[in-house]
């Protein structure tokens, strides 16, 4: 439809990166281990898939579509 959107893979990637940065910022301990296990549940591992499904993000209000003139040059 030509509507701009954010792919689910990008949303999953940025969420994973944010969570990994959060884990790396914590010192070793119970909270860090708990967060690592939660990350494994959300995103999965080699042996099992994650429990969270990410979807594409579309605009919440109707986008306005305008005519665009394109002149091809060969």
């Amino acid at each position: 439809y030509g509507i701009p959107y954010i792919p689910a893979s990008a949303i999953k990637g940025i969420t994973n990166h944010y969570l990994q940065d959060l884990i790396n910022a914590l010192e070793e301990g119970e909270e860090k281990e708990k967060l690592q296990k939660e990350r494994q549940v959300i995103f999965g591992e080699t042996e099992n898939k994650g429990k969270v499904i990410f979807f594409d993000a579309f605009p919440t209000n109707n986008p306005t579509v305008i005519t665009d003139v394109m002149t091809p040059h060969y």
Side-chain angles (χ1 to χ4, degrees):
Y1 296 112
I3 299 172
Y5 74 101
I6 303 172
S9 59
I11 295 171
K12 184 176 182 178
I14 195 73
T15 305
N16 186 21
H17 185 75
Y18 174 78
L19 193 54
Q20 190 61 48
D21 282 350
L22 188 62
I23 291 170
N24 291 339
L26 293 173
E27 293 183 18
E28 293 295 326
E30 193 174 303
E31 187 176 348
K32 186 171 186 169
E33 290 177 19
K34 181 181 174 188
L35 203 54
Q36 286 173 337
K37 288 179 184 177
E38 288 178 11
R39 182 180 167 273
Q40 290 174 349
V41 169
I42 292 171
F43 296 102
E45 301 176 298
T46 307
E47 298 85 29
N48 56 15
K49 63 181 183 177
K51 302 260 184 206
V52 176
I53 299 172
F54 292 84
F55 294 101
D56 295 337
F58 289 93
T60 55
N61 51 2
N62 294 333
T64 55
V65 180
I66 59 172
T67 305
D68 187 15
V69 178
M70 186 171 150
T71 308
H73 298 278
Y74 294 98

